[in-house]
Amino acid sequence: MKWHELGEMNCPIARTLSIFGDRWTLLIIRNAFMATRRFDDFQKQLGITRHLLTERINRLVENKIFEKVLYHEAPKRYEYKLTEKGLALYPIIVSMSVWGNLWQNEDKQFPELRYLHKSCGNVIQPTLSCNCCGQKLDARLMSPVYFTENIS
């Protein structure tokens, strides 16, 4: 199956992976959340080839994850800023970071990446919970169900 075919599947995870299902795209998004905006900065920080970076950034712009903003006229230079759609990925990036701290650093070889909540000044420990009863989500207590109409 080709990447573009994932976007046609009847599965929200497959459709999402069609946009950022490779390692470079997720790392580009991670760096965007760390205030990286310019092509050369992404390239320098990630060590990705210019060709691959161009391809990945173009896909993010096409899918309205990034907005391409001119910051210098001659020669033309652009910044890539997260859109509202892109900013909505933040809980996913934070969740992946928490998972990586726990399961990919069991011997504590690397410093943990934590997130400080600017409003209250505390380091967060994000959790997903049921919006109805408040119970922490557990895969053993969940059942995926497809709905054909919107629910609240």
Side-chain angles (χ1 to χ4, degrees), residues 59-87:
R59 185 180 330 136
L60 291 169
V61 170
E62 287 170 21
N63 284 281
K64 298 179 175 46
I65 305 294
F66 279 171
E67 176 184 12
K68 187 175 178 177
V69 179
L70 185 68
Y71 74 87
H72 192 270
E73 190 62 47
K76 288 191 186 278
R77 296 275 188 244
Y78 296 92
E79 289 186 332
Y80 300 92
K81 296 184 178 183
L82 288 159
T83 62
E84 286 300 312
K85 186 176 179 180
L87 290 167

Side-chain angles (χ1 to χ4, degrees), residues 5-152:
E5 293 172 340
L6 287 175
E8 307 298 319
M9 291 185 69
N10 184 27
C11 172
I13 296 169
R15 290 190 305 271
T16 301
L17 285 173
S18 74
I19 298 170
F20 59 84
D22 67 273
R23 63 182 172 184
W24 289 118
T25 305
L26 284 174
L27 292 174
I28 292 165
I29 292 168
R30 175 206 61 189
N31 282 33
F33 280 115
M34 295 175 152
T36 302
R37 302 279 181 268
R38 297 181 178 177
F39 186 94
D40 288 340
D41 293 334
F42 282 114
Q43 205 268 325
K44 192 180 319 172
Q45 293 166 6
L46 297 171
I48 185 175
T49 66
R50 296 183 74 75
H51 171 76
L52 270 177
L53 182 58
T54 298
E55 188 178 286
R56 298 313 190 266
I57 285 180
N58 286 342
R59 185 180 330 136
L60 291 169
V61 170
E62 287 170 21
N63 284 281
K64 298 179 175 46
I65 305 294
F66 279 171
E67 176 184 12
K68 187 175 178 177
V69 179
L70 185 68
Y71 74 87
H72 192 270
E73 190 62 47
K76 288 191 186 278
R77 296 275 188 244
Y78 296 92
E79 289 186 332
Y80 300 92
K81 296 184 178 183
L82 288 159
T83 62
E84 286 300 312
K85 186 176 179 180
L87 290 167
L89 293 168
Y90 194 69
I92 296 168
I93 297 295
V94 171
S95 294
M96 289 178 71
S97 179
V98 169
W99 186 89
N101 282 338
L102 181 63
W103 296 105
Q104 294 299 107
N105 194 22
E106 294 177 81
D107 58 0
K108 304 297 182 205
Q109 179 182 356
F110 305 103
E112 288 189 14
L113 177 60
R114 302 250 179 125
Y115 296 85
L116 182 69
H117 188 229
K118 292 178 185 178
S119 296
C120 71
N122 289 300
V123 173
I124 63 162
Q125 184 58 46
T127 58
L128 291 174
S129 60
C130 175
N131 64 317
C132 295
C133 71
Q135 185 178 24
K136 185 177 176 181
L137 297 189
D138 181 325
R140 295 166 288 218
L141 302 175
M142 301 300 296
S143 178
V145 180
Y146 282 99
F147 288 88
T148 57
E149 54 191 64
N150 288 335
I151 61 169
S152 301

